[in-house]
Amino acid sequence: MSRIARTASTGIGIAVVLSLGLTACGSSGGASVAADKKQTLTVWAMGAEGEKLADVAKVYEKAHPNITVKVTPVGWDVAHQKLVSAAAAGTMPDVAQMGGSYMGEFSELGVLEPVDTKTFHEKDFFPAGWKQGEVDGQAYGVPWYVDTRVLYYRTDLAKKAGITKAPADWKELRDLATAYQKKAGTKWGLSIQPSGLDTVQSFYSFLYSAGGEIVDDKGETVIDSPAAVKALKEYASYFDKGLSDKSLPPGYDVVKDFGNGRVPMFFGGPWHVTLLDEGQPQLKGKWAVAGVPAGKSSVSMAGGSSLVISKDSEHKAAATQFIKYLTDTKGQADWYKRTKDLPANTAAWTSGDLADDAGLQVFKKQMDTAKSSPSLPNWTEVTDKVDQAVAKVTQGKASAEDALKTAQSQIEGLVK
Amino acid sequence: MSTTTGKAAQPAKVQAAPGATASPAAGPKGPRRRGKPSMGVQNVAGWLFSTPFLVLFLVFMAVPIIATLVMSFTDFGLRNVTHPMDANFIGLDNYTQLFSDDKFLKSLFNTAYFVVVGVPLTILIGLVVAVLLNNGIDRARTFFRVGFYAPVVTTIVAVAVVWRFVLDPSDGLVAGLFSEVGLTAPDFLGSETLAMPSMIAMAVWRNVGTVMVLFIAGLQAIPTEVREAARLDGANVWQEFKGITVPLLRPTLLYATVITTIGYLNVFEEPFVMTQGGPSDSTLTVSLNMYREGFNFFHMGYASAMAYVLFVVIMGITVLQLRLLKDNTK
């Protein structure tokens, strides 16, 4: 049966990681090649970025004839495992794109080269973007693009419900959700995730806006703080009142339901703009983005990707130049045109397309205060405990206080 | 089982040197017609022919199995991916920790639930469908056989899409049926009590086809004379089923039960694509738990220990089933 095959292949996976790890012990750093020598740079990038980056690489090769850039697109779903296997085998590419949550892990693995701070300056980038490439005060990744979540809402249906302005705080958000359901006849009021992996990403908008955090700057676990309890209570009230769907299937895509009006509001990233423009063209002009409604203040999560150089790379000089090209003002504006990924370099926002795009200014404003997660090696595990706490409360199994107290003690055990 | 010792000796040889079975000359008691040298050549040829299999077996089965066992006695974690030698031997700690880990115990319970309810249902429905299809109208037979087998060959993701539609609490198929009679459908996958039964229903639907095919093959191996004799003696349909079909189908029944049980003890895809183990771990199975510990959190040592506990459980249950079901045959 296929299950037996699967069990076997899981075993093989573990063994391959192990055996590759054993052989990797002997590999050395290797000699480095000067930037102006003829050489090939290997680059891994994920998802849509991987495909678009190949075009940029072609442009780059024209200006730098001695460099050949070999871009390998990697799917997001397999990216983590592929990178770990590559780290184990000592076959990391010269340059790799890395999600913020990976940084702690891979620096712990000791496969990342520290960022050359003579070439890349912290002040050029969004603080949250720079911070997510940092582990224990040492920068390992250069911010490539940033993202943050904002509120997407249907303006046409809001008008029908008798509300014309974007919700500014929690109360207005709840009122709008209720009005959508009662007066505009939508199925739900707001789409947030009730349980499952990465629920915390939905919860961040509430947690941070209430002034809460999971782990603070000093490394103390603070998930049972009064602010966090308040945020979780507010979050859970959407499920209690039937404003949000209690069971979303894994891999649920909100865009379609936003298009057909079943879901009039959700928290989304910049990529949703493209998804809505391309996937739901009939919606043009019927939706808008707004800042995350404020609890104490309006703070959203910061995400995005950094570019890292492998410690074992023989092409560090050329890799640094290539990354410089991708992250300077010109490169970032060009990248935005190709992908709609938000530039991590702040100067790129004040020139060209981005300067006068009202929708994007919402992201800009949100980005200024957005908070990134601490770069801890076991961050996935830490957030899993928060996911579980949120699930317990949204499913009515525990009070916010109790669930977060449990999470607090579990996370303390992981962080210390 | 074996009647003649001479014949029994040969199959035993097959395992020792698979390539050398063509001639009894290689056997220890066989007549040495060609003398010693040729036996060596035959052995070499035998090993040569089995090399591809042996290499694949060693690399892809034996090594991982042993590596997992070794790893289960260590605290192999994320760090050790690049520094495997830094992993510490911690003896049986992983194993003792497992049995005080609520999450693991819950996943064990969920898996048991899945097996205890799912296996009998799958076997029973598979048997009934097979009997019906075997005696059914000739023309429609093929159509129905294909119909019941289709879920087996469909990918799980497609199956998940269909079942999500069926179970969707707001506008799914079942919800529609409920509203026809003026009731509100429960939220099957979002409820802690209903998520597992829903998952079992889906797994049964998906696996009945496999079992059915086995039973149809078994049914067709039953000689028609036996049935005719029974009918001449005035047996009715039920008596024929009880007295002839079931006893003669016993080996098939045993096989089907064993492979279904093993498959269900390993259940992974259904919760992985439908619920990710939720809500509140109510559909978290041992395999899914193991996958998450290993590949989400990189607790490789711990996940390996889990794999071995699951292995021992499967082994134990399989041996038990073989004993219990086989004893009744004679």
Side-chain angles (χ1 to χ4, degrees), chain A residues 290-310:
Chain A
V292 165
K296 222 167 87 188
S297 57
S298 160
V299 184
S300 186
M301 64 171 281
S305 282
S306 303
L307 292 164
V308 301
I309 298 178
S310 154

Side-chain angles (χ1 to χ4, degrees), chain A residues 8 31 36 56 75 89 92 98 116 181 214 241 289 357 386 413:
Chain A
D36 54 358
V56 178
M92 290 275 286
M98 234 173 231
D116 171 11
Q181 218 176 23
I214 300 174
K241 296 193 176 105
V289 288
D357 188 320
V386 181

Side-chain angles (χ1 to χ4, degrees), chain A residues 126 146-153 166-167 266-270 273 287-293 298-301 336 342 349 353-370:
Chain A
F126 277 108
V146 290
D147 72 58
T148 187
R149 307 291 159 85
V150 296
L151 184 73
Y152 283 71
Y153 69 106
F266 68 95
F267 293 104
V273 175
W287 57 272
V289 288
V292 165
S298 160
V299 184
S300 186
M301 64 171 281
Y336 168 76
L342 304 180
W349 287 78
D353 285 359
L354 292 160
D356 41 53
D357 188 320
L360 280 163
Q361 290 312 307
V362 173
F363 285 101
K364 165 97 167 76
K365 206 169 148 228
Q366 198 77 63
M367 201 56 223
D368 283 333
T369 58

Side-chain angles (χ1 to χ4, degrees), chain A residues 3 247 250 381 384 388, chain B residues 85 103 187 270 274 292 299:
Chain A
R3 292 209 171 90
S247 67
E381 206 179 345
D384 181 61
Q388 286 174 25
Chain B
M85 288 315 170
K103 208 164 179 174
D187 181 1
E270 279 87 354
M274 296 294 284
R292 293 182 63 186
H299 297 161

Side-chain angles (χ1 to χ4, degrees), chain B residues 129-174:
Chain B
V129 169
V131 169
L132 290 179
L133 288 185
N134 203 42
N135 303 330
I137 323 136
D138 275 337
R139 233 188 278 161
R141 206 189 276 172
T142 321
F143 172 77
F144 281 110
R145 282 184 189 176
V146 172
F148 279 101
Y149 198 69
V152 178
V153 291
T154 310
T155 67
I156 181 75
V157 178
V159 169
V161 170
V162 171
W163 275 80
R164 269 184 211 155
F165 165 71
V166 170
L167 298 175
D168 191 299
S170 55
D171 52 8
L173 192 70
V174 178

Side-chain angles (χ1 to χ4, degrees), chain A residues 102-123:
Chain A
Y102 296 5
M103 294 302 302
E105 249 174 79
F106 284 87
S107 72
E108 168 100 354
L109 287 173
V111 293
L112 303 182
E113 177 73 7
V115 168
D116 171 11
T117 44
K118 280 193 214 85
T119 313
F120 304 99
H121 306 290
E122 183 173 352
K123 61 171 176 45

Side-chain angles (χ1 to χ4, degrees), chain A residues 38-83:
Chain A
K38 198 165 174 57
Q39 58 194 301
T40 302
L41 270 183
T42 52
V43 181
W44 284 9
M46 284 80 163
E49 277 96 28
E51 280 147 34
K52 297 267 166 74
L53 188 60
D55 302 337
V56 178
K58 277 200 200 92
V59 179
Y60 187 77
E61 282 170 348
K62 262 194 201 121
H64 303 79
N66 62 316
I67 310 264
T68 310
V69 183
K70 211 180 130 232
V71 178
T72 309
V74 182
W76 269 116
D77 50 340
V78 294
H80 187 251
Q81 274 182 40
K82 272 199 88 156
L83 282 165

